[in-house]
Amino acid sequence: MKAPLTSPVLTGTPTAPTAAAGDASLKLANTSFVQAAIAAVPGRLIGVQVFSVPGTSTYTPTPGTASVIVESVGGGGGSGGVPATGAGQNALAGCGGNGAYAKSSSRPVLPA
């Protein structure tokens, strides 16, 4: 039994030849082709780590790390205390403090 040429439904583990690097045609791209294309692109993000609790984590560079980008975000502060108001009264308070944002880029110190 063969699948129809239009809209075939493939079963099992179908295979395909691996296209040449840089092939931008409409050929089928198998996983080997895709993995090679991703590995050939410098500067991709790998080993992304998120630390949400201050002081509880230490960054360890992934082998082959060329540079590190660190982004820090701090939440804003609350507004000043405002006493409760009664009927016919209004209250006004200053806004809360702005949050903070910082971004830096560095090259890790590699062991000698």
Side-chain angles (χ1 to χ4, degrees), residues 93-111:
C95 295
N98 292 332
Y101 173 81
K103 182 175 183 176
S104 66
S105 176
S106 64
R107 297 193 179 277
V109 177
L110 302 175

Side-chain angles (χ1 to χ4, degrees), residues 39-50:
V41 177
R44 65 191 189 281
L45 293 175
I46 56 173
V48 174
Q49 298 180 28
V50 177

Side-chain angles (χ1 to χ4, degrees), residues 77-88:
S79 65
V82 178
T85 59

Side-chain angles (χ1 to χ4, degrees), residues 49-87:
Q49 298 180 28
V50 177
F51 305 113
S52 58
V53 179
T56 61
S57 301
T58 302
Y59 171 73
T60 303
T62 304
T65 298
S67 65
V68 177
I69 298 172
V70 177
E71 294 184 76
S72 302
V73 179
S79 65
V82 178
T85 59

